[in-house]
Amino acid sequence: MTVRSQITTEPSPATAAPSAVPVQPTAEPAPESAPGSQEGHDLDHQGQGKDDKHDDRDRDTPKFPHPKLRLEIRDLDHPGAVKFLGAVNASTLLSDAVKNVQRLLYRSAADKHTTCPPTRSVTVILRDMDGVAYTTGTDLDADHKEIHFSLSYIAAHIPSTPPSRLPAELTGVLTHELVHCYQWDAHGSAPGGLIEGIADWVRLNCDLSPPHWKREVKIDDPWDKGYQHTAYFLQYLEEQFGEGTVRRINEGLRSTREYEAKEFWVRLLGQEVEELWGEYCASVCDDDGKGSP
């Protein structure tokens, strides 16, 4: 059985700009549908508060465009589907994750130094497949994205204990993939490790890092090894050069038509990336010697 749910997430005109703290799940999630009523069901998430009276300042605050979010489950009877539906509220998870991605990569819609892509829709497809997850465009146009998430991985590889681990891992994987719906990549010329590192940097800053992640380096590791390894390097740069550094890197990938490492990093941070990586590795070794985690 295939289930298709549509989560409409268009904000009301009075929605405030994204805050500087992580978006928290809504206190009162929408009530669950009665058993057997999920197929073809639309989930409306309008983002409207109880009070429709707001001052002119709120109405004039620029807002990020919020995409239409859809969830498609290819096999409701699959153990991974049962596990997913029992652990999270898909509407709340996806809507909050989009807001976190936009906040961390672009800060606010009023920020004149960043440019958020016009992503119009994201369809999350849960299906039986190898691997974990991947993001792709659609045949419609580049503003519509699909995230494919493996039911087999959910069923077999995400622990259900402690109880908080399952929803955190599901949210972490989907947050990582949503970054791919919103980040820039120098017209496809940026290193893949940097792209994946930015995605895991967002996950790290949403407090969604898995227990096995840790800040470590090995001899001859490249800076763009990707994923959490590059994410911790980016976090180091954020701490060294100030809040918004990763945002600047992402924006630099928007304006760069053909990525060239030396020119890109010297222009942004005044040093070549290998030099920055060497300083990061030295700092990790120093911290390890002092007994830091």
Side-chain angles (χ1 to χ4, degrees):
M1 180 184 294
T2 298
V3 174
R4 294 182 178 86
S5 293
Q6 180 170 300
I7 307 165
T8 304
T9 54
E10 297 175 359
S12 65
T15 303
S19 65
V21 298
V23 175
Q24 299 297 322
T26 55
E28 298 180 2
E32 296 180 359
S33 301
S37 65
Q38 295 186 56
E39 186 163 4
H41 181 62
D42 287 352
L43 302 177
D44 291 330
H45 184 87
Q46 299 295 340
Q48 296 178 351
K50 295 180 180 179
D51 188 356
D52 291 331
K53 296 180 180 180
H54 302 272
D55 59 28
D56 291 339
R57 181 175 56 189
D58 288 336
R59 285 195 293 268
D60 293 340
T61 301
K63 273 109 17 213
F64 285 117
H66 214 63
K68 182 168 290 186
L69 300 171
R70 300 182 179 92
L71 173 66
E72 180 178 330
I73 303 176
R74 296 282 175 87
D75 183 0
L76 262 183
D77 296 326
H78 195 289
V82 175
K83 203 171 178 180
F84 180 91
L85 293 172
V88 297
N89 179 318
S91 174
T92 302
L93 185 164
L94 294 171
S95 180
D96 287 351
V98 167
K99 292 173 185 175
N100 276 328
V101 170
Q102 291 173 328
R103 171 180 59 83
L104 286 165
L105 289 184
Y106 303 101
R107 190 169 66 176
S108 78
D111 191 337
K112 297 181 180 179
H113 301 291
T114 60
T115 305
C116 185
T119 301
R120 296 171 59 191
S121 75
V122 179
T123 301
V124 175
I125 300 173
L126 304 184
R127 64 184 182 88
D128 196 3
M129 67 179 197
D130 294 332
V132 180
Y134 68 89
T135 298
T136 185
T138 70
D139 293 335
L140 189 58
D141 61 47
D143 295 340
H144 298 270
K145 310 292 185 181
E146 287 182 354
I147 296 173
H148 293 249
F149 196 177
S150 171
L151 287 172
S152 301
Y153 177 82
I154 295 171
H157 298 289
I158 301 181
S160 298
T161 55
S164 61
R165 185 70 228 124
L166 177 56
E169 180 67 12
L170 294 171
T171 305
V173 171
L174 287 171
T175 297
H176 174 107
E177 296 302 326
L178 280 166
V179 173
H180 295 326
C181 299
Y182 278 95
Q183 67 186 149
W184 300 105
D185 64 356
H187 299 271
S189 66
L194 176 57
I195 297 304
E196 298 297 343
I198 290 174
D200 267 357
W201 176 84
V202 170
R203 180 174 178 175
L204 181 68
N205 281 271
C206 289
D207 295 324
L208 293 169
S209 55
H212 68 273
W213 282 18
K214 59 181 179 179
R215 197 170 66 111
E216 61 179 358
V217 293
K218 297 179 181 178
I219 297 176
D220 297 329
D221 269 353
W223 71 269
D224 57 349
K225 186 176 179 179
Y227 299 101
Q228 73 267 26
H229 306 285
T230 300
Y232 282 111
F233 173 49
L234 293 171
Q235 182 61 26
Y236 166 82
L237 297 179
E238 185 86 356
E239 294 165 358
Q240 293 297 308
F241 291 91
E243 189 273 337
T245 297
V246 176
R247 213 174 283 138
R248 289 170 55 206
I249 292 170
N250 179 63
E251 186 66 18
L253 294 174
R254 181 190 70 84
S255 58
T256 299
R257 183 156 294 277
E258 188 66 35
Y259 174 88
E260 197 281 315
K262 181 176 180 179
E263 190 278 333
F264 181 84
W265 292 96
V266 170
R267 172 168 53 87
L268 281 178
L269 301 179
Q271 296 175 254
E272 294 189 36
V273 68
E274 287 79 9
E275 182 181 357
L276 295 167
W277 174 251
E279 293 173 359
Y280 166 69
C281 292
S283 74
V284 173
C285 293
D286 287 346
D287 287 345
D288 288 346
K290 298 174 184 176
S292 299

